[in-house]
Amino acid sequence: MRLGMNVARRGKEILERLTTRKVIREPVFPYVTLRQRYVKVRLDFTKGCNLRCRMCPSVAFGDFEKREMPPSLFDKIAGEVFPRTEHLTIGCGAEPLFAKNFDQYLQTVRRYRIPYTLIISNGSLLTDQKITAMLDAGINELSVSLEAASKEKYESIRVGSKFDRLLENLNRFNELKAERHTDKPLLSFNTVLMKDTLPELAPLIRLAKQMGVTTLSMAHLIPFAGLDNERESLYYHQELADEKMQEARELAESLGIRVFCPSLFRGEEDDPRPSEKGVSGMACLQPWIFMVINCDGDAYPCGWLFGEKPAGSFRKHSFRQIWFGSMYTKLREEIRTGNLRAQCGRCPAAGLGDPTRKESFEQVQF
């Protein structure tokens, strides 16, 4: 499956329908007025992480200050946002298991009966207590981040982690699920694509099969300024990248594992291709359906608006003030009309690296 391009194409179709219909009261999609839950949320409990992964923006920033969302602020966000949430992802720019109030937060999440809840974690801090908290909260999926199935390569990328410990943690996760006679949380893997890890794709898929993983999501490297890794981008190794990604797709299919993979650089029959101006041939739905909330309560319509001020803060604003505020409103209009700001025009998330545009793979400055 090709991750970003098909989503973008569906987005364009929805956006075209949106502009031809009158929406009463709320300037969002027509179905929003008919459905209670319409927001996809990515939320960080904490700013901290126990690892120093070599492609992480926090490493680029040198920002390792450990702080955590106060329970009172979390309760406010939960009360205003979770009744509207159809999909909650916990873990955006930090390690959620690093939060000391992790168990307490999950108890609150459970009360709001969100249709789908996903935790993204490096997996190194999994314990019986935290796994039990996930089981008790009815979390739907745990996505573990890793780029290699060999100890040496894994530990050289996920600096500070131990590969053997990760495998022990994942085996224990599966054991505790089996004891409960449940298949949830589903276990999935997510990986950042880099030249250095292309040989690891096939072994990673075999490891996924061994661990009972049914889904592997791949995304291109975003080369943040200060990490000196721009040449690791697959844009500079296109022939090799296409070969290894195609091999990975075929192996995954043979093993019954779903793979969400970026489009091949050489192009594929059903790929929509953007125009010279940028992504105007596609459409981003983020400001109509999405909210990123960091541990300070700051809210953003997109996780890729690097350097932009937040749309608001739950420390002093309500959900409606943020959702219908100036930033969300302006961004919706820009996307609807195709008058994109510079960051949107070269967005690395449009297909998670549009292979026709070098700008999608260039270094991200702050």
Side-chain angles (χ1 to χ4, degrees), residues 36-37 41 43 45 69-85 88 104-114 291 293 297 314 319:
Q36 182 181 16
R37 296 184 181 272
V41 177
L43 174 69
F45 296 151
M69 182 178 287
S72 59
L73 177 58
F74 178 76
D75 288 342
K76 178 191 177 185
I77 292 170
E80 294 192 23
V81 180
F82 288 177
R84 297 175 164 94
T85 302
L88 173 65
Q104 176 184 337
Y105 294 146
L106 290 197
Q107 290 173 11
T108 300
V109 168
R110 179 185 183 183
R111 291 203 301 270
Y112 286 91
R113 306 175 75 88
I114 298 169
M291 182 174 283
I293 307 171
F314 282 96
F319 172 83

Side-chain angles (χ1 to χ4, degrees), residues 281-349:
M282 300 184 282
C284 170
L285 307 183
Q286 300 295 72
W288 284 275
I289 63 172
F290 194 67
M291 182 174 283
V292 178
I293 307 171
N294 67 20
C295 70
D296 298 318
D298 297 330
Y300 299 83
C302 175
W304 301 105
L305 290 175
F306 301 113
E308 295 263 5
K309 292 182 179 179
S313 173
F314 282 96
R315 298 190 305 276
K316 53 185 178 182
H317 300 120
S318 68
F319 172 83
R320 289 188 62 85
Q321 287 174 317
I322 297 171
W323 193 252
F324 300 111
S326 59
M327 186 175 190
Y328 267 91
T329 301
K330 184 177 181 181
L331 195 56
R332 288 171 187 145
E333 181 64 12
E334 290 173 4
I335 293 173
R336 189 185 67 81
T337 60
N339 296 317
L340 305 179
R341 63 186 66 188
Q343 283 177 293
C344 293
R346 55 158 293 188
C347 175

Side-chain angles (χ1 to χ4, degrees), residues 2 17 25 34 38 64 74 84 126 141 148 166 175 199 205 226 256 262 270 278 290 297 349 359:
R2 288 174 289 287
R17 292 200 299 270
R25 292 198 310 276
L34 303 177
Y38 54 91
F64 300 120
F74 178 76
R84 297 175 164 94
L126 281 171
E141 181 180 350
L166 174 67
E175 288 173 1
I205 290 170
D270 60 347
F290 194 67
E359 293 91 337

Side-chain angles (χ1 to χ4, degrees), residues 131-158:
I131 296 169
T132 299
M134 293 182 203
L135 292 166
D136 290 345
I139 299 300
N140 295 90
E141 181 180 350
L142 171 66
S143 181
V144 175
S145 307
L146 73 165
E147 285 68 40
S150 63
K151 176 181 174 65
E152 181 180 1
K153 184 62 66 179
Y154 170 81
E155 293 179 1
S156 73
I157 296 168
R158 298 273 165 182

Side-chain angles (χ1 to χ4, degrees), residues 44-220:
D44 272 328
F45 296 151
T46 180
K47 178 62 179 174
C49 185
N50 59 312
L51 304 185
R52 300 293 181 264
C53 302
R54 72 186 203 196
M55 62 288 191
C56 177
S58 292
V59 175
F61 306 154
D63 184 6
F64 300 120
E65 177 187 355
K66 181 181 179 181
R67 58 184 187 273
E68 187 168 329
M69 182 178 287
S72 59
L73 177 58
F74 178 76
D75 288 342
K76 178 191 177 185
I77 292 170
E80 294 192 23
V81 180
F82 288 177
R84 297 175 164 94
T85 302
E86 67 169 354
H87 188 292
L88 173 65
T89 298
I90 299 168
C92 183
E95 171 53 50
L97 274 63
F98 206 50
K100 66 179 181 180
N101 292 313
F102 179 80
D103 299 8
Q104 176 184 337
Y105 294 146
L106 290 197
Q107 290 173 11
T108 300
V109 168
R110 179 185 183 183
R111 291 203 301 270
Y112 286 91
R113 306 175 75 88
I114 298 169
Y116 202 89
T117 49
L118 161 67
I119 294 176
I120 298 178
S121 169
N122 60 49
S124 64
L125 296 178
L126 281 171
T127 62
D128 282 15
Q129 180 179 339
K130 295 185 186 301
I131 296 169
T132 299
M134 293 182 203
L135 292 166
D136 290 345
I139 299 300
N140 295 90
E141 181 180 350
L142 171 66
S143 181
V144 175
S145 307
L146 73 165
E147 285 68 40
S150 63
K151 176 181 174 65
E152 181 180 1
K153 184 62 66 179
Y154 170 81
E155 293 179 1
S156 73
I157 296 168
R158 298 273 165 182
V159 179
S161 188
K162 299 296 182 184
F163 186 66
D164 293 341
R165 177 62 182 273
L166 174 67
L167 297 185
E168 290 174 4
N169 290 348
L170 297 182
N171 282 323
R172 184 58 178 158
F173 175 82
N174 287 328
E175 288 173 1
L176 290 179
K177 282 172 54 180
E179 289 178 8
R180 294 275 191 109
H181 304 287
T182 180
D183 61 351
K184 295 182 180 178
L186 299 173
L187 181 61
S188 64
F189 285 171
N190 69 84
T191 189
V192 176
L193 294 169
M194 299 178 280
K195 176 182 179 293
D196 197 28
T197 60
L198 283 176
E200 292 285 335
L201 282 180
L204 187 60
I205 290 170
R206 294 190 182 95
L207 175 63
K209 181 66 175 179
Q210 177 186 335
M211 290 295 172
V213 168
T214 57
T215 303
L216 171 64
S217 298
M218 306 179 189
H220 281 295

